[in-house]
Amino acid sequence: MSGTGSGAPGGPGISVVVCVYTEERWEDILAAVASVRAQSRPALETLLVVDHNRALLDRLEREYKEAEDVRVLANAGPRGLSAGRNTGIAAAHGEVIAFLDDDAVAERDWLRHFAAAYADPRVMAVGGRTVPIWASGRRPVWFPEEFDWVVGCTYRGLPPGRVRVRNVLGGNASFRRIAFDAAGGFATGIGRDGDKRPLGCEETELCIRLTRAVPGAVLLIDDRAVIHHRVPSGRERFGYFRTRAYAEGLSKALVARSVGAGKGLESERRYATRVLPAGVARGLRDAVLARPGGAGRAGAIVAGVLTAAGGYVVGSVRARRGGTAFSVAPIEGESG
């Protein structure tokens, strides 16, 4: 890794990594970078990591040719989000590395809240709150808030405030760079790969691996560190909801196979036994009171649970047979 960056007085230097893969999100990418450059606590740098798309790489290099605070890089690993993030980590100069989705914008104090949490030297990772921006202008009436993770956003059931968590959510997260020295980078073969099946959980796997590698490590979510994440119309449909829930089950099976079901499903047990039943009850109550979408939300929660469970069973069988695997490599930094 390259040397540690000195940031704003009183806190760590923060590099922001934005992984990008398609020109279809051109305006979103520009908006994401603009939101980083407008932070009340300036970033040390913004790294745009392009996932095997030469045309997008060339276009971004032209766009930011004169920008001293923005660097454009090609993904140095296999296609996919995890390898893109690892490329950004290896190139970053900051003591802390933050990740922002390419279709999201950060509120002005996003990095300020991250930086404040790192005053405690035990803190190895800090996540924030991700709010959906629905393409239709409003949440679909059937879409339960308990399943907002389906569209990459903070879901109902997470505790409010600044609290300790098992894992942060990758589209709005930060890590000390020494965390990657201790635990390695994001696992490849488990996360997203462009527009293919929307797998996930690479953040969960990394965070569990990190707490094992660094006993006493503290991982936090601060819901004041807010980003707004665009949800395209295709992800407002029930078909995508089911596909994403199934993919989550597949991913959770991989994680549980790697780190053990005890730790791998620790947070999910509380979610499944407390948060979701309460959501079903709330939806049914709304239906009785003739509120829009109540029955649909209750039904979507049940369908989401069953679909994710089916993915978990299939993923567990595949993992036992050795048909699905992922790998973790150390972060190879820049020289100099």
Side-chain angles (χ1 to χ4, degrees), residues 14-19 35-36 39 81 85 96-115 118 125-132 151-155 158 161 165 167-175 186 202-203 207 219-230:
I14 304 179
S15 299
V16 178
V17 174
V18 182
C19 294
S35 76
V36 176
Q39 289 294 298
L81 181 57
R85 286 173 173 165
V96 168
I97 302 164
F99 299 92
L100 179 66
D101 277 347
D102 64 345
D103 53 356
V105 292
E107 290 191 0
R108 180 169 167 76
D109 291 331
W110 178 59
L111 291 182
R112 184 171 69 84
H113 290 301
F114 278 174
Y118 286 106
V126 185
R129 177 161 57 96
T130 302
V131 179
V151 291
C153 294
T154 301
Y155 55 90
L158 286 177
V165 291
N167 63 276
V168 297
L169 305 178
N172 179 9
S174 63
F175 294 82
F186 288 91
E202 65 273 24
E203 305 94 358
C207 289
L219 283 62
L220 301 173
I221 285 182
D222 188 336
D223 65 6
R224 298 169 299 172
V226 180
I227 70 169
H228 297 264
H229 183 264
R230 189 178 298 279

Side-chain angles (χ1 to χ4, degrees), residues 43-101:
L44 192 65
E45 59 188 345
T46 301
L47 305 178
L48 290 170
V49 183
V50 183
D51 194 17
H52 298 271
N53 183 331
R54 187 72 217 185
L56 178 58
L57 179 73
D58 291 343
R59 189 176 179 187
L60 286 170
E61 285 179 338
R62 290 193 300 270
E63 178 72 22
Y64 293 107
K65 182 172 59 174
E66 305 298 328
E68 295 182 359
D69 59 331
V70 180
R71 286 194 283 154
V72 180
L73 310 168
N75 180 0
R79 186 181 300 275
L81 181 57
S82 290
R85 286 173 173 165
N86 291 342
T87 297
I89 294 164
H93 296 127
E95 181 185 340
V96 168
I97 302 164
F99 299 92
L100 179 66
D101 277 347

Side-chain angles (χ1 to χ4, degrees), residues 145-177:
E145 292 182 22
E146 291 82 0
F147 273 78
D148 277 5
W149 55 262
V150 163
V151 291
C153 294
T154 301
Y155 55 90
R156 186 173 194 150
L158 286 177
R162 184 197 283 178
V163 293
R164 288 188 71 161
V165 291
R166 179 194 65 182
N167 63 276
V168 297
L169 305 178
N172 179 9
S174 63
F175 294 82
R176 288 195 195 271
R177 63 181 305 111

